[in-house]
């Protein structure tokens, strides 16, 4: 929710102010501001400028910090600077080729953009191998990949594992149940979407 992101950003900022040389604090702030843009959260003014500023500082403090590099990657992906994305993925993987977050980020980029798919799958598989408790969103690239090639049953399996709670992803879940022939569950899932956002339309679905 909006207050949650605002509070998180404020908390990280205070910690960073107490110790202005913590690279990871700047990296986390980069992620928070980028997420504010994705979710169109309005109570943090000019999140793009803030994200660029803290990302630049994080990499300045430690140019080989994998988390600083991968948070910069997500900002660049938001900006659709794909060449710079590739560069920062390469640098992050070189900095830490075993970090699950780096691996799933790189794999997601490959699979979602449908480039170097086999390598993307390998990266995603390694991310899940090295993470004992992967977050639900680690299923996202698999959902995109299997849906693209018509393997809706496998997509549904990953959607169920992801256990999404937001309206757009619940709409995706409803669609996949429908495509798998389970119309009753599809309708129930869509009713959950409407409970969250009564104005939701599949026109919103991307």
């Amino acid at each position: 929710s909006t207050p949650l992101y605002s509070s998180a950003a404020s908390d990280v900022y205070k910690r960073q102010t107490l110790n202005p040389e913590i690279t990871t604090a700047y990296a986390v702030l980069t992620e928070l501001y980028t997420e504010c843009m994705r979710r169109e959260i309005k109570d943090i003014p000019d999140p793009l400028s803030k994200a660029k500023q803290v990302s630049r500082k994080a990499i300045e403090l430690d140019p080989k910090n994998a988390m600083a590099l991968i948070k910069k990657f997500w900002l660049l992906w938001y900006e659709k600077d794909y060449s710079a994305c590739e560069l920062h993925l390469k640098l992050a993987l070189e900095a830490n080729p075993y970090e699950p977050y780096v691996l799933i980020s790189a794999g997601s980029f490959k699979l979602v953009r449908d480039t170097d798919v086999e390598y993307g799958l390998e990266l995603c598989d390694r991310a899940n191998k090295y993470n004992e408790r992967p977050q639900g969103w680690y299923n996202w690239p698999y959902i995109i990949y299997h849906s693209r090639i018509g393997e809706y049953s496998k997509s549904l399996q990953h959607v169920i594992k992801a256990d999404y709670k937001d309206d757009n992803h619940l709409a995706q879940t409803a669609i996949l149940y429908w495509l798998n022939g389970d119309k009753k569950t599809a309708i129930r899932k869509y009713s959950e979407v409407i409970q969250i956002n009564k104005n939701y339309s599949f026109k919103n679905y991307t």
Side-chain angles (χ1 to χ4, degrees), residues 102-116:
V102 170
L103 291 165
I104 197 66
S105 298
S108 295
F109 185 73
K110 301 293 185 184
L111 292 184
V112 171
R113 297 202 67 240
D114 200 18
T115 59
D116 205 355

Side-chain angles (χ1 to χ4, degrees), residues 125-177:
D125 290 345
R126 282 165 54 193
N128 282 278
K129 176 183 176 182
Y130 296 148
N131 191 335
E132 292 182 1
R133 295 183 179 179
Q135 293 175 292
W137 77 269
Y138 275 44
N139 290 277
W140 173 56
Y142 293 105
I143 296 166
I144 300 296
Y145 168 72
H146 289 297
S147 294
R148 183 181 289 132
I149 61 176
E151 294 180 345
Y152 301 124
S153 177
K154 290 183 179 180
S155 291
L156 180 59
Q157 291 173 27
H158 282 287
V159 160
I160 292 169
K161 284 175 65 178
D163 193 26
Y164 289 125
K165 303 298 184 186
D166 65 285
D167 55 0
N168 213 38
H169 283 105
L170 279 172
Q172 179 186 57
T173 305
I175 290 169
L176 284 168
Y177 271 112

Side-chain angles (χ1 to χ4, degrees), residues 25-111:
Y26 288 103
V28 170
L29 278 171
T30 304
E31 178 183 23
L32 285 168
Y33 291 136
T34 303
E35 193 66 11
C36 284
M37 291 184 288
R38 282 201 206 99
R39 294 175 179 261
E40 299 182 347
I41 294 171
K42 304 297 185 184
D43 67 333
I44 296 180
D46 198 9
L48 179 58
S49 293
K50 287 182 170 66
K52 288 181 176 181
Q53 180 181 359
V54 293
S55 176
R56 186 165 51 249
K57 181 65 175 179
I59 294 173
E60 178 185 305
L61 286 171
D62 187 353
K64 293 185 178 181
N65 184 290
M67 295 309 289
L69 291 164
I70 208 66
K71 301 298 187 185
K72 173 70 171 180
F73 152 76
W74 282 104
L75 173 59
L76 291 165
W77 195 355
Y78 174 83
E79 293 188 291
K80 297 184 172 68
D81 189 343
Y82 301 128
S83 296
C85 282
E86 292 282 7
L87 172 62
H88 282 77
L89 286 177
K90 180 176 181 291
L91 292 172
L93 286 166
E94 288 174 354
N96 190 344
Y98 302 103
E99 168 55 49
Y101 184 72
V102 170
L103 291 165
I104 197 66
S105 298
S108 295
F109 185 73
K110 301 293 185 184
L111 292 184

